[in-house]
Amino acid sequence: MMKIKVVYGVDMRLWKKYADDQAKPDDATFTDLLAYIRETFSFAANHEFRVTFKDDDDEFTTIASVEDLRDAFALCQQQDKKSLKLHVVNTAKVAPKSNNSQ
């Protein structure tokens, strides 16, 4: 069984929904992952974030679809890793603070 570690800042959680490392992730798995991230890190429904993983070039690659998630799983399996570490990156736009000091 491949462990799925989800990291946001200094917090790491273990996603236990996906347990069969022989099957390919499907659309429901990708949707479940996004829902798990929103719930476990207490994100609002409209909170903007992206999910990344380290690819075989040791660069962070965005997972934006079920196909990307399948690629991440396949890479881990090819490298005979026991876990896949997914990084959650906050992409919410923060309004600049106004400088109203007079």
Side-chain angles (χ1 to χ4, degrees):
M1 173 166 69
M2 184 183 304
K3 293 179 184 176
I4 310 300
K5 298 176 181 178
V6 182
V7 180
Y8 179 61
V10 297
D11 199 2
M12 183 184 304
R13 309 283 174 91
L14 189 61
W15 185 43
K16 298 177 183 176
K17 170 82 174 168
Y18 189 80
D20 183 2
D21 63 354
Q22 299 304 312
K24 291 182 179 178
D26 57 14
D27 290 338
T29 307
F30 182 64
T31 302
D32 289 344
L33 171 63
L34 298 178
Y36 172 78
I37 291 169
R38 287 188 191 287
E39 181 179 323
T40 196
F41 296 112
S42 301
F43 290 165
N46 62 348
H47 188 97
E48 296 177 25
F49 64 91
R50 71 174 180 261
V51 181
T52 65
F53 75 102
K54 271 196 176 180
D55 64 15
D56 52 351
D57 293 325
D58 206 31
E59 295 178 339
F60 285 101
T61 301
T62 299
I63 297 176
S65 66
V66 68
E67 290 82 14
D68 295 338
L69 185 57
R70 286 182 187 141
D71 289 345
F73 271 81
L75 179 64
C76 278
Q77 290 173 334
Q78 289 170 0
Q79 295 177 345
D80 206 26
K81 291 186 176 182
K82 294 181 181 179
S83 66
L84 170 61
K85 189 181 289 186
L86 303 177
H87 299 266
V88 178
V89 180
N90 188 13
T91 59
K93 295 172 180 60
V94 179
K97 293 182 180 179
S98 62
N99 190 359
N100 291 339
S101 59
Q102 293 180 6

